[in-house]
């Protein structure tokens, strides 16, 4: 009776430390050396969080957001106006721009002869020149562009990614020319939570971001903070060569669990004994000799 009553608890408690994911995504603990972290990932051919994010960004680039398509249709009907430009800037603050969005914006800017907006995306993503009806328009952009501050790459650590309006750059290849104006900025790191900002390049560089590590604690006792539960299940944390831990700390073993939940076990035992006694109270106990 007692075993049957406790069985669900025993099953939960006996699940210990799940198996390592076959191709786990690797995060860096704050105590780990960045150099050692990247050497380990390279040697083990293991995907880091930033590499995984870059790969998923490419996957999510195929379709434009409905808001962008709706805005484009309205702008084509209403023509160029101050309100249309305000609505365009509003979109920058409400959705994460992707490549398909940039393509729609580029074609729209060409149709409506918004040269500044057109150059904005052509400078950010030169490949978009191939979709223009009049590629010659792209040649005017360099003369209208402003140089991006050389310190832009200084905000990135080794392995970090800089995302500008959905276009991904690494530390060694930051954008060098942009049109003046407001952009979506995002820093993706293996060590720290994403930092986001909407504004000009100059404003972005003046930001004093509050840095929050993905991982707190040490190898023996840690916490991983990420809202994507599916990512938690397929990730590992690099503390050092001797400690590569799952992002979700393993379940404690049964002996540890029972020690920490001794009162619960005793309570369940007393409850089960009481149930047994209640079931036997109206029964006659007969003992026969062998």
């Amino acid at each position: 009776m007692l075993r049957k009553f406790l069985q669900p608890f025993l099953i939960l408690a006996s699940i210990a430390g799940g198996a390592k994911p076959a191709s786990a995504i690797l995060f860096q603990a704050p105590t780990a050396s960045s150099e050692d972290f990247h050497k380990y990932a390279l040697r083990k051919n293991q995907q880091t969080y930033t590499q995984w994010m870059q790969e998923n960004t490419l996957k999510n680039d195929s379709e434009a957001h409905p808001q962008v398509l709706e805005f484009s249709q309205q702008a084509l009907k209403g023509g160029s106006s101050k309100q249309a430009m305000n609505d365009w800037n509003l979109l920058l603050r409400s959705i994460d721009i992707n490549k398909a969005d940039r393509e729609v914006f580029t074609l729209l800017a060409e149709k409506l002869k918004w040269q500044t907006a057109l150059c904005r995306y052509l400078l950010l993503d030169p490949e978009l020149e191939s979709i223009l009806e009049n590629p010659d328009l792209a040649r005017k952009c360099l003369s209208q562009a402003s140089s991006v501050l050389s310190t832009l790459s200084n905000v990135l650590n080794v392995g970090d990614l800089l995302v500008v309006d959905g276009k991904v750059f690494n530390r060694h290849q930051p954008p060098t020319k942009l049109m003046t104006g407001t952009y979506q900025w995002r820093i993706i790191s293996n060590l720290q939570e994403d930092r986001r900002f909407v504004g000009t390049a100059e404003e972005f560089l003046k930001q004093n971001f509050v840095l929050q590590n993905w991982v707190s604690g040490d190898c023996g006792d840690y916490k991983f903070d990420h809202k994507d539960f599916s990512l938690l299940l397929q990730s590992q944390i690099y503390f050092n060569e001797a400690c590569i831990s799952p992002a979700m700390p393993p379940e404690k073993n049964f002996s540890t669990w029972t020690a920490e939940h001794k009162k619960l076990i005793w309570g369940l035992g007393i409850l089960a004994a009481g149930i047994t006694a209640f079931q036997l109270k109206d029964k006659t106990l007969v003992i026969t000799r062998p």
Side-chain angles (χ1 to χ4, degrees), residues 109-110 113-123 129 132 134-146 177-180:
E110 183 183 22
K113 296 182 170 53
W114 289 346
Q115 185 66 29
T116 300
L118 177 65
C119 290
R120 169 196 182 94
Y121 292 106
L122 291 178
L123 288 171
E129 183 179 339
L132 296 177
N134 183 8
D136 291 340
L137 293 173
R139 299 189 185 122
K140 301 177 182 179
C141 293
L142 285 177
S143 62
Q144 300 176 20
S146 60
K177 293 278 188 179
L178 289 177
M179 298 297 290
T180 57

Side-chain angles (χ1 to χ4, degrees), residues 30-48:
T31 55
S33 157
S34 291
E35 183 179 358
D36 291 343
F37 169 82
H38 287 285
K39 283 182 178 178
Y40 175 87
L42 185 62
R43 189 173 70 253
K44 297 292 185 178
N45 193 28
Q46 193 162 345
Q47 193 176 42
T48 65

Side-chain angles (χ1 to χ4, degrees), residues 49-87:
Y49 172 65
T50 53
Q51 291 170 338
W52 180 80
M53 282 294 293
Q54 185 168 14
E55 183 179 289
N56 276 269
T57 298
L58 295 175
K59 290 179 181 177
N60 296 330
D61 276 350
S62 59
E63 294 185 7
H65 286 85
Q67 301 96 313
V68 173
L69 296 175
E70 181 180 356
F71 163 76
S72 300
Q73 291 298 320
Q74 292 175 350
L76 286 172
K77 291 178 182 178
S80 179
S81 68
K82 185 177 180 180
Q83 183 59 48
M85 291 305 297
N86 289 338
D87 291 343

Side-chain angles (χ1 to χ4, degrees), residues 22-33:
S23 55
I25 300 161
L26 199 63
F27 284 81
Q28 180 184 342
T31 55
S33 157

